[in-house]
Amino acid sequence: MKRKRIYMVLVMLVCCVFMFAACKKSVGTPEDNAVTEEDTENKDTEENDDADTDDAENETTIESDAYTFGFSGINMENPYFITLEAATREVLEDKDYRMITEDPASSSDVQIRQLKEMADAGVKVVFLSPVDWEKITPALRYLKDKGVTIVNVDTQVKAMEYVDAYVGSDNKEAGAICGEDLIERRPYGGTVAILECSIQNSINERISGFEEALSSAASGFEVVDRQDTDGNFDKGLEAAKQILNNNPDVTAIMCGNDQLAVAAKTAANLVENSDVLIYGIDGSPDIKKELKKTGSQIMGTVAQSPINMGKDAARIGIAILKGKDYEKETYEEVFMINKKNVEMYGVDGWQ
């Protein structure tokens, strides 16, 4: 009987050992860690989701690169071009596009190099105000060969056949407005000097419009001196001093832009000439401040709107890329700002 009990205990122990072995799960073999079909599907889904995310990121990058714009003004230290660039950028960034801005610092050679670098970097649209309207032509050819859209802004290039759109002012009308104002102030005529810039067509047209207005007047005006300044303030200052020293009784100085008008006014102060009448074109804050001063030689400035110009240029650039209709030529309004109406426009910014 005792043996039988011992035997039964042994049998029960053996059974427990087998039951424990059957319940134990090994973690060392693939079979014991098998993945169910549902787990496999979940894993594949997660991997596909990750892949889709990567693809989406790549697509975003490609889209961004495909819509990169470039901006090249004449001189990015000039407040006019700073304002023009900022207005252009505002519209583009509102649409999540990117814009690269380069400063040629009034150097045609630098501008040509920078434009070629933009094209090589994959820029699709360039907003361009040429330093030299003729010398820029090789860069225009290069841009077109690379498939870059050219939106010419403010001052025209000579080879307009390379340009997709132009946005600017009626510069000839702007010059004519200055001439008409001078005729009204000096109906009996007088002597005139001119500060010009032959490499910028916008200034060429302004001077042309001014001279045509004077030539149509019943009374006579005579141009006694003219100086090419390259659009440079320092050259304008020296040229204006020379003009005033050689012609102390000159009636008026017509300046191709407001920067040159400031140079002419500075020269007039230096030689103590308070009688000369000075005209500019741009409608810059600096000139508007001068118009508010008593006794200033600045008679008026024909205003442009670099803000409207930049915004319209940006919209047109986007329209071209998207294959939408757009205006080939857009001319912004120009108008005289003088002592009588300067308060309407304010002196702290551009119109």
Side-chain angles (χ1 to χ4, degrees), residues 154-229:
D154 182 62
T155 184
Q156 290 179 318
V157 301
K158 187 169 186 179
M160 288 296 289
E161 63 269 21
Y162 293 106
V163 170
D164 295 276
Y166 172 72
V167 182
S169 300
D170 188 337
N171 288 297
K172 203 164 187 180
E173 175 64 14
I177 291 172
C178 289
E180 290 162 4
D181 190 85
L182 176 59
I183 292 169
E184 185 177 339
R185 293 176 186 275
R186 296 291 185 270
Y188 300 108
T191 55
V192 177
I194 294 172
L195 294 182
E196 56 192 348
C197 176
S198 61
I199 63 174
Q200 293 178 22
N201 191 52
S202 57
I203 292 182
N204 293 339
E205 290 190 343
R206 294 167 188 174
I207 300 304
S208 176
F210 174 77
E211 291 187 276
E212 286 180 14
L214 294 187
S215 66
S216 66
S219 56
F221 284 91
E222 179 188 3
V223 176
V224 295
D225 201 348
R226 63 197 314 146
Q227 297 287 333
D228 195 338
T229 65

Side-chain angles (χ1 to χ4, degrees), residues 30-54:
E31 292 78 12
D32 290 326
N33 291 285
V35 179
T36 65
E37 185 175 346
E38 182 178 352
D39 289 338
T40 303
E41 290 176 357
N42 289 338
K43 184 176 181 181
D44 290 342
T45 301
E46 291 173 358
E47 290 175 349
N48 288 335
D49 287 343
D50 291 341
D52 289 343
T53 300
D54 291 340

Side-chain angles (χ1 to χ4, degrees), residues 124-142:
K124 294 300 180 184
V125 177
V126 164
F127 302 104
L128 170 64
S129 297
V131 172
D132 187 310
W133 76 311
E134 289 189 87
K135 287 184 179 180
I136 200 66
T137 303
L140 301 180
R141 290 197 203 100
Y142 192 89

